[in-house]
């Protein structure tokens, strides 16, 4: 006879279940100093995935703790180490920071051309025409603004300082 209140010390057995595991309680809980881990192992295909909670973080990885796909850190910030596709849009209530040696934001119009990007290349702010592979506007770190092509001003045009003109035939 086994008493209904008897406990099985998990450190002395290594159960292997070949069918579904169900619980009538409200939670599956891991209690130890190392956290818990659930491994999703597909015997026919790779990669395998796991969910792990350890040292104040929760992460999903391809069975490789040093390379998480998704990680919630102990301070609450979230790391996503691959591309993130959002079908419904992204709402940001704080600052957006993009860090890279040449950061870009692509603005792709899915039903018309031209498509553009906004770039920071070596300290120069650029608006770039991706469709025609051409820079359209530059703001240099000195404050100089360079426009490639025609510049149409819809209101008054005021110059404070010296102007240099090359072709003044249409200047009135």
């Amino acid at each position: 006879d086994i008493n209904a209140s008897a406990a099985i010390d998990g450190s002395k057995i290594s159960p292997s279940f070949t069918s579904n595991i169900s619980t009538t309680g409200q939670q599956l809980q891991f209690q130890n100093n190392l956290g818990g881990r659930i491994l999703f192992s597909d015997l026919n295909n790779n990669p395998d995935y796991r969910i792990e909670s350890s040292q104040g973080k929760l992460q999903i990885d391809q069975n490789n703790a040093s390379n998480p796909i998704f990680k919630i850190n102990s301070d609450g910030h979230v790391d996503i180490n691959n591309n993130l596709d959002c079908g419904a849009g992204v709402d940001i209530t704080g600052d957006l920071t993009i860090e890279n040696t040449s950061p870009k934001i692509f603005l792709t119009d899915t039903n018309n051309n031209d498509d553009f990007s906004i770039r920071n290349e070596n300290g120069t702010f650029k608006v770039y025409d991706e469709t025609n592979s051409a820079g359209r506007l530059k703001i240099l770190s000195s404050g100089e603004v360079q426009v490639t092509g025609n510049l149409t001003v819809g209101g008054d045009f005021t110059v404070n300082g010296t102007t240099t003109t090359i072709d003044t035939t249409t200047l009135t």
Side-chain angles (χ1 to χ4, degrees):
D1 286 333
I2 298 176
N3 186 320
S5 65
I8 299 174
D9 186 349
S11 64
K12 296 180 181 177
I13 64 169
S14 296
S16 177
F17 299 95
T18 58
S19 63
N20 294 335
I21 299 173
S22 62
T23 177
T24 57
Q26 296 179 352
Q27 66 184 12
L28 175 62
Q29 185 172 3
F30 299 93
Q31 285 185 313
N32 59 47
N33 291 332
L34 301 175
R37 179 180 303 151
I38 300 172
L39 177 62
F40 298 90
S41 182
D42 181 349
L43 300 177
N44 298 323
N45 298 297
N46 281 320
D48 297 329
Y49 292 92
R50 70 178 175 181
I51 300 172
E52 179 178 40
S53 174
S54 177
Q55 300 173 347
K57 70 180 184 310
L58 173 72
Q59 75 180 38
I60 299 172
D61 58 56
Q62 290 182 338
N63 206 13
N64 179 351
S66 65
N67 190 23
I69 298 168
F70 176 90
K71 179 169 61 171
I72 301 173
N73 294 278
S74 60
D75 63 1
H77 84 270
V78 177
D79 295 329
I80 299 174
N81 292 325
N82 294 295
N83 290 340
L84 175 65
D85 296 326
C86 300
V90 177
D91 298 322
I92 300 172
T93 57
D95 295 333
L96 172 64
T97 302
I98 301 173
E99 294 181 2
N100 192 293
T101 56
S102 183
K104 299 175 186 88
I105 299 174
F106 292 94
L107 304 170
T108 304
D109 184 352
T110 58
N111 65 346
N112 287 297
N113 280 329
D114 289 352
D115 298 325
F116 291 89
S117 65
I118 301 169
R119 304 172 172 206
N120 180 357
E121 288 185 359
N122 301 315
T124 299
F125 177 81
K126 291 183 177 181
V127 176
Y128 190 80
D129 182 341
E130 293 290 334
T131 304
N132 296 299
S133 300
R136 299 297 184 202
L137 173 74
K138 292 182 187 179
I139 303 175
L140 284 64
S141 58
S142 65
E144 177 183 337
V145 178
Q146 298 176 354
V147 178
T148 304
N150 296 331
L151 174 64
T152 303
V153 178
D156 294 340
F157 185 73
T158 304
V159 177
N160 293 324
T162 305
T163 61
T164 303
T165 56
I166 298 172
D167 181 1
T168 59
T169 56
T170 58
L171 189 61
T172 58

